[in-house]
Each structure stands twice: as structure tokens, then as C-alpha cells.
Amino acid sequence: MTWDITLGTIFGLALIPMMISYVFKENIVYQVAERTALALEITYSLSAGYILLTSYWNDIMRAGPTQYIFLIWLPIGAMILFQTVRGRKMFYYSRLPMALFTGVTVGVLLRGIIYTGVLQTVVGAIKPIDPYNILYLVTFIFGIAYFMYAFKYRGIFKASNYIGLIVIMLYMGQLFGTTALKRVSSISDTMQWILTALKSFGIPIPG
Amino acid sequence: MSKNISKTLDRIQSIWHGWIYIILFVLVIIPLVNPIGLGIGIGRLEKLAFDYVKTIPAGSKVLYYTNMASWTVGNTAPTIALVEELYRQNLKIIFVPHGSEAPNMIQRVLAVVPSATGKVYGTDWLILSILPDLETNQAQFANDIPGTSPSDSLQKKPVSTFPIMTGIKTARDVALGVNQEEEGSQYIRQVAGPYGLKTISIHGVDKIPTHAAWLESGLIVGAIDGVPAAAAYEVMLGMPREASKQMDVMSFTVLYALILLAIGNAAVIMRRYANPKLSTITTVDTKKGGE
């Protein structure tokens, strides 16, 4: 093992039991681990930002003049730092990069939601017409119907509201079940990692 | 009789909660250090993924989107299993890292994949430069791969200098996509859907219902969801490893959770049966110092 992996493994082996101690009661050991993890997360985010920035810069420089147009985003992005400057006018400029970013992202996102999310996923899942796909369509319609607040449900439509509620509850139930299963999987992964790490330090662990 | 059962269940509920976790840890550790070898079922999603890879001609290229990081270090079994099959099929893998830790994690995974031994960087595999996990990046990258990611992560050379990138311009130029991102929907919206790229998804077990819908609509060709699917993949590959060992843990702990759920629900129902006027929801009087 290289020194950085060894150090990371030692940190992991120390922090995991400290964090797990919270399940019994909140205690000082947990608080130390929590704050250490938070500090590491901030450091990690800063270093990740630095790596991304250098990667972005190097990509543009290596590709040559054809990519220089993308350098325009550096000063525009830096405008967000105006949030730290007092004064209404400067604060206004700090919102420009955010507005640009949000606008472009929403535009791209909407295209994906309409084309892939609605047309491909929903329409694609209904075809071919077979019992399974009919069930999918029925649950889809009732699920959507539950969230239609534009008019008041009366008569037969009241039943659709109720069926929609059942459909959503079924979904919530499976969501809870699979989420619980994922947590169990995480515990198993973590324990497996601890045992492998202990083995790598020469501690005899069976299995 | 029912009152006695009710009392017993109430008594069980008043046991110190720490025991629940202590028993859980014991149930996790015992199968890990002493594998029992309970049966491993092969699900539909992973079987489809496994069979689809078999149909891809040798020498084809795979675009592998991943956000592996230090927090996924314990959950590399699905990746190891899939990469092993891709290399057994003699496919070439172009990794698209989302996140600064991904290039390092990819190398760590490849180091333990048996069939990755002897594979040449730049010819059989490549790690492109880090691509931020954003909707706009996904869209741009799929449209112009060398333009959006002009260099690699390890040697910092232009991607055009690597043989694996010959003929690669858009997401249409590869035979298979692997979606192992944090959430996965971005990739589906911007790559799999618009470019019709056949995709295998790797996520946790909580993604199974989403993957079933994507599979029905043809957006993915299969998926490896969590430890059970990874274990099944290992069985299909004839290479039982960590995931197969963890399946015993899953079986034990899920059974334990079901028992706890049954006891908790039985206690509530019996309490209600013994005293119909009693609400199932315990009200707390905060003025009296209740928690």
C-alpha cells in the first residue's frame, strides 16, 4: 500500500466506529468524528474545485486557439465573487452568472425531460400492449390523477383520486423497502471494507 | 392470554435500543468472517445485462460514466464484475470520470479485475479528463466527445494521440454505455435517450423500480443494482468474490429487519386490541419532559 492509501485506511478505521457510536447515544467521540469529517469534506471540496479548474484550464490550453472562446466563462464565473462586495450594483452583477447557468441548464433539462422523460420513458413503456404494460399505464394515469388539483373531484372521479392514493402508497412502500435494503447493503459494504483493511495490516481475520 | 402477549411485546419494545444495533453488527460480521453460502438468485435486470455484453463484437468500444469516489470504496463489486465481463469479451473501455477522485478509483478497481492484467492504457482503456456532473456537460459531451474532453486524466495528453479514440466523435460511435453516476437520470436524459446508446446501469437496490421502467422503454438494456445483482453477476461469471460473501449478510440482516418489523407491528396491534380506545400513535407530553 502507498502511504496515502495507508493514511486514508487508518483514518477510515478510526472514524467509522466513532461515527457508529452515535446509534447508542450522542457522545463526544461522535462529535469529534463528525467535525473531522466535515473539515475533511471542506478540504476535499476545495481540492476538487482546484483540480477541476486546472483540468478545465489545461484542456483549453492544450486544444489551442479553437478552444479560447471558452475562456470567456472565467470572468463571467468570477463575477459571482461580487456577492462579497458591499453595494447594490455589484450584487446585481453577481447574479448574472447564476442566471445564465440556471437558464442554460433548465433549457437543456427541459429538452431531456420532454423527449426522454415523457415521450421515451412513458410512451416506450406502454408499447407493446400487454397485461404488464396496461397495468403500468393504469397506475401511471391514476398516479397523475391524484396530483390534479385544477378541479374538484366528484362522482366517479373521486374514486380515481382514492386509487391514485393507493398507487402512491404502494410506491412509497417499495421505496421505503428498497431504501432500507440499500442501508443494509451499506453496512455490509462498510464492514467488508473494515475487515479487508484489517487484513491488509496483517491482522489475521478469517473468511 | 392476549393481555399477556401484549405485555410481553411491550416489554420487548422497552428493551434498550442499543441491543438492536449490537445484534445487527453481530449478524453482519458473522457471515463475513464465516461465509455460509446461502443461495444467490439471478435477477432479470442483471441477466439481461450479462447476456447483452455477450452479443457485442470483440474490439468494440464502451463509454463508462462513473462517479466512483472514496465513499464508494466498499461498494466496488458491481464495477469489478462488469469490467471483468467487458474485458473477457475483449472490449475497449473509455472511462468518463465525474469527480476528482474517480480517476484514482478507476485504477484501484482495474488493479483487482483479473482480466484487466496486461491491458494497455490508451489502447484497451483510457480515462478522459474529469467532466463535472452537470446536465449541460452531459449534453455537450455526448455531442462532441474529443471537443469536450480534449485530454486524458493520467498522461495529460490530447485524446487524439490514443488509438482507442480513433473514430470516436459522438456517443453514437460506441457500442455500449455504462451509467454509474450519482443519480443516473442526467445520463438517461442527455445521452441514452437522444443518442439511442445501449446502456447498462449500475446503481443501488433502490433504483430497481426506475430501472424496470427504463428497461421497458428501451433506454437501458440491463442493470446491476447493488450487492444482490453484483453477487448474481459474480455467479454468472464463475468468479465468486466480495458480493457473494455479502449476500449472506443481506439475507441475515433483512430477515432480522423483518422480525423487528413484525414484533413492532404486533405490539401496536395487540395494544390496540387490548384497549380499543387507545390511539396507535403515542402522544408525547413535552410539558412533563417527554422526549
Side-chain angles (χ1 to χ4, degrees):
Chain A
M1 274 202 293
T2 54
W3 70 269
D4 54 336
I5 292 176
T6 309
L7 194 67
T9 309
I10 292 168
F11 252 104
L13 284 173
L15 286 177
I16 290 169
M18 286 165 82
M19 290 293 241
I20 288 174
S21 70
Y22 180 75
V23 300
F24 301 110
K25 197 181 179 184
E26 178 147 2
N27 56 71
I28 186 76
V29 174
Y30 164 74
Q31 285 174 352
V32 168
E34 188 195 28
R35 280 154 182 74
T36 309
L38 192 66
L40 287 173
E41 182 62 35
I42 293 168
T43 317
Y44 164 72
S45 301
L46 285 172
S47 63
Y50 172 75
I51 290 168
L52 273 178
L53 194 64
T54 49
S55 172
Y56 170 72
W57 179 261
N58 290 339
D59 279 353
I60 290 172
M61 289 300 128
R62 268 187 221 113
T66 53
Q67 296 270 322
Y68 288 171
I69 184 76
F70 293 112
L71 286 173
I72 198 169
W73 298 110
L74 276 178
I76 291 175
M79 281 164 78
I80 207 162
L81 294 172
F82 287 152
Q83 289 222 346
T84 58
V85 182
R86 282 180 175 234
R88 201 177 167 82
K89 201 173 179 182
M90 285 301 185
F91 189 79
Y92 172 79
Y93 289 120
S94 75
R95 288 155 70 173
L96 279 175
M98 286 303 288
L100 256 173
F101 177 73
T102 311
V104 172
T105 305
V106 169
V108 174
L109 181 67
L110 272 179
R111 184 192 66 175
I113 286 176
I114 293 167
Y115 179 67
T116 309
V118 178
L119 292 177
Q120 278 186 293
T121 310
V122 177
V123 179
I126 294 164
K127 290 189 285 186
I129 305 288
D130 60 29
Y132 180 78
N133 288 350
I134 289 171
L135 182 69
Y136 176 84
L137 180 66
V138 168
T139 53
F140 173 75
I141 290 168
F142 284 117
I144 293 282
Y146 182 75
F147 289 103
M148 288 287 181
Y149 300 125
F151 54 89
K152 200 170 180 181
Y153 289 98
R154 284 196 184 90
I156 196 163
F157 292 107
K158 213 169 182 178
S160 76
N161 202 6
Y162 187 66
I163 297 169
L165 181 69
I166 293 169
V167 166
I168 289 162
M169 285 302 159
L170 281 170
Y171 170 72
M172 294 292 184
Q174 73 78 22
L175 199 67
F176 174 75
T178 50
T179 305
L181 204 60
K182 194 179 178 185
R183 302 289 167 248
V184 168
S185 173
S186 296
I187 298 169
S188 158
D189 289 340
T190 310
M191 287 300 164
Q192 176 79 57
W193 180 83
I194 289 175
L195 295 177
T196 312
L198 289 174
K199 270 183 198 170
S200 69
F201 285 119
I203 297 168
I205 305 277
Chain B
M1 174 68 181
S2 65
K3 274 192 176 177
N4 284 342
I5 297 170
S6 178
K7 267 185 184 175
T8 312
L9 288 169
D10 276 346
R11 213 172 290 151
I12 289 171
Q13 288 212 103
S14 61
I15 292 172
W16 179 54
H17 73 280
W19 285 113
I20 292 173
Y21 297 109
I22 291 169
I23 295 168
L24 177 69
F25 291 130
V26 170
L27 286 175
V28 169
I29 289 169
I30 286 174
L32 283 178
V33 296
N34 187 20
I36 296 150
L38 296 171
I40 296 169
I42 296 169
R44 180 174 168 239
L45 285 165
E46 54 267 23
K47 180 81 174 80
L48 285 170
F50 185 82
D51 291 342
Y52 187 80
V53 173
K54 290 266 175 277
T55 64
I56 304 172
S60 301
K61 288 157 192 173
V62 179
L63 212 50
Y64 197 120
Y65 289 68
T66 180
N67 73 331
M68 280 191 289
S70 50
W71 50 270
T72 63
V73 75
N75 186 23
T76 50
T79 316
I80 293 169
L82 181 61
V83 172
E84 170 68 18
E85 196 198 3
L86 294 176
Y87 275 143
R88 282 188 191 181
Q89 196 65 18
N90 278 323
L91 302 176
K92 297 170 189 295
I93 311 173
I94 302 163
F95 289 99
V96 186
H98 287 296
S100 56
E101 285 183 281
N104 186 25
M105 285 298 296
I106 292 164
Q107 291 177 80
R108 286 176 72 175
V109 164
L110 287 176
V112 293
V113 173
S115 297
T117 314
K119 296 289 179 187
V120 182
Y121 184 75
T123 307
D124 300 308
W125 62 289
L126 184 75
I127 306 178
L128 295 177
S129 55
I130 299 158
L131 190 76
D133 196 3
L134 298 169
E135 198 88 22
T136 44
N137 274 349
Q138 297 268 15
Q140 175 62 18
F141 179 80
N143 186 45
D144 181 7
I145 294 170
T148 315
S149 202
S151 62
D152 77 308
S153 271
L154 301 187
Q155 297 179 359
K156 316 285 182 198
K157 285 183 183 171
V159 290
S160 55
T161 59
F162 297 104
I164 194 171
M165 290 301 287
T166 310
I168 301 285
K169 174 70 180 163
T170 71
R172 283 196 183 89
D173 301 325
V174 293
L176 179 74
V178 179
N179 173 19
Q180 192 185 16
E181 294 177 333
E182 175 91 38
E183 210 261 326
S185 303
Q186 280 185 10
Y187 169 90
I188 293 294
R189 277 194 297 266
Q190 304 301 340
V191 187
Y195 292 86
L197 180 60
K198 301 291 179 196
T199 296
I200 291 174
S201 224
I202 298 185
H203 287 102
V205 281
D206 57 330
K207 274 278 180 186
I208 293 172
T210 312
H211 285 163
W214 287 347
L215 183 78
E216 288 301 319
S217 51
L219 289 165
I220 60 170
V221 292
I224 309 173
D225 294 321
V227 173
Y233 224 84
E234 288 178 357
V235 168
M236 288 187 283
L237 286 167
M239 184 188 77
R241 289 171 68 97
E242 268 70 26
S244 305
K245 230 186 268 180
Q246 286 180 28
M247 269 312 287
D248 288 344
V249 179
M250 294 288 284
S251 307
F252 269 106
T253 44
V254 168
L255 192 65
Y256 177 57
L258 286 174
I259 290 167
L260 290 179
L261 273 171
I263 291 172
N265 281 294
V268 171
I269 291 164
M270 292 300 285
R271 215 167 140 216
R272 199 106 194 256
Y273 180 72
N275 188 357
K277 285 180 184 173
L278 202 67
S279 166
T280 47
I281 301 163
T282 312
T283 50
V284 176
D285 190 349
T286 47
K287 283 179 188 172
K288 287 181 181 175
E291 289 181 359

